[in-house]
Amino acid sequence: MAGGPAGPQAERMTTTKLRLLAVAAALTLALTGCSTAAPASTDDLLPDVVDQGDTGGDAGGSNDGQVTVIGADLASGTAVMLAEVYAEGRDPIPTVEFLDATTVRFAWPAGSLTEGDALGNCQIAYGALSGEGIRVLIAVGDAETDCTAEIEG
């Protein structure tokens, strides 16, 4: 077939492709932290709810299983998202604080984790964030461990 004028179906396909590209570009910008409209934490998206499932750092009922990331503006959007997802999967939920662009501290109250639990959390947090080049610290009460140094030896 020689190249003739495009029919209505071809125009619809092109329009659909352009819309998909625009959506993908917007999502990429939001996930990488390049959009000022994107919240630093999913806490901004969810209403406060108190229920039986609140056992961690949000036991007062704020945002039902969600964690607030302190210092999120210091790190990449991907690192913040990974740290938040990791923390929300813990019980109890730790406090999350980015000390700078490449260091995050997960902190639990004294006595809330055994030494074995702290080591397990250290390994999981390192696995979740090492690909982003983030140094991971685990703090239980006043004791703090540099997980990255422990695992990388």
Side-chain angles (χ1 to χ4, degrees):
M1 281 180 102
Q9 183 177 7
E11 287 178 22
R12 274 182 271 155
M13 287 178 63
T14 302
T15 303
T16 302
K17 287 179 186 176
L18 289 174
R19 286 182 183 157
L20 288 173
L21 285 173
V23 168
L27 284 173
T28 300
L29 286 174
L31 290 175
T32 59
C34 294
S35 170
T36 57
S41 172
T42 56
D43 290 346
D44 298 332
L45 302 174
L46 300 171
D48 289 344
V49 177
V50 179
D51 69 13
Q52 296 290 335
D54 290 327
T55 59
D58 71 333
S62 62
N63 291 323
D64 193 25
Q66 299 295 307
V67 64
T68 299
V69 179
I70 301 165
D73 57 322
L74 300 175
S76 74
T78 305
V80 171
M81 181 184 67
L82 290 170
E84 190 171 8
V85 168
Y86 161 76
E88 289 170 357
R90 308 298 104 211
D91 188 17
I93 295 175
T95 301
V96 180
E97 181 178 7
F98 277 90
L99 305 177
D100 57 42
T102 60
T103 307
V104 64
R105 178 191 302 134
F106 298 99
W108 287 266
S112 60
L113 296 180
T114 66
E115 189 175 328
D117 289 339
L119 178 61
N121 277 293
C122 182
Q123 292 170 336
I124 296 167
Y126 174 82
L129 292 159
S130 62
E132 289 294 309
I134 304 295
R135 189 173 126 225
V136 177
L137 307 174
I138 298 286
V140 181
D142 292 334
E144 186 172 276
T145 303
D146 184 336
C147 292
T148 302
E150 287 278 326
I151 293 173
E152 292 180 355

